[in-house]
Amino acid sequence: QVHLVESGGGLVQAGDSLRLTCEISGDIGRIKSMGWFRQAPGKAREFVSSIDWSDGFTYFADAVKDRFTISGDSEKNIMSLQMDNLTPEDTALYYCAADHILPVGSWPWATNLDYWGKGTLVTVSS
């Protein structure tokens, strides 16, 4: 069992930055990959970024590729998402997730990830 808890969301203006954190506990050895999805009001859940927990290989959605950075610290059991130059289109509930076997490049099409946090809200004003 793996437990994920997100933090770091807030209300910011366009152009600001935020750093989201996912605290990881439980059977961390079962994790192959981790990452972030987001869901805006009235919208479907959308892939943001993923990272291989062993070698650090990363993958990004086109909408955030030039602005967001994902990182993991296996010693501290923390995954982070650094979000720079935020826009109102980034407003969403951001979810931390983890999976036993899924390669990072398959995350954009993932439908059944193994573990989810409850989300942290990011609101970006104009």
Side-chain angles (χ1 to χ4, degrees):
Q1 184 179 6
V2 174
H3 185 59
L4 308 173
V5 179
E6 306 96 331
S7 63
L11 174 62
V12 298
Q13 296 182 355
D16 287 351
S17 297
L18 280 175
R19 186 176 182 86
L20 306 184
T21 296
C22 179
E23 299 178 2
I24 311 159
S25 61
D27 192 4
I28 300 173
R30 298 190 65 188
I31 297 174
K32 163 65 176 178
S33 56
M34 297 193 65
W36 298 87
F37 281 77
R38 66 187 183 184
Q39 188 167 22
K43 297 285 188 177
R45 187 175 295 167
E46 175 189 21
F47 168 73
V48 178
S49 183
S50 55
I51 182 170
D52 187 285
W53 202 241
S54 296
D55 62 21
F57 185 84
T58 59
Y59 194 82
F60 296 90
D62 288 343
V64 307
K65 182 175 61 178
D66 297 328
R67 300 180 295 118
F68 290 11
T69 302
I70 190 171
S71 61
D73 188 334
S74 59
E75 181 177 344
K76 296 182 178 181
N77 297 327
I78 294 175
M79 180 182 65
S80 298
L81 183 69
Q82 178 67 40
M83 306 185 296
D84 297 324
N85 195 23
L86 287 162
T87 75
E89 295 296 318
D90 297 315
T91 295
L93 190 64
Y94 283 71
Y95 296 93
C96 174
D99 197 80
H100 296 155
I101 61 173
L102 194 68
V104 294
S106 297
W107 273 59
W109 305 278
T111 59
N112 192 26
L113 294 170
D114 293 316
Y115 307 104
W116 294 90
K118 294 183 178 180
T120 185
L121 182 63
V122 173
T123 303
V124 185
S125 63
S126 301

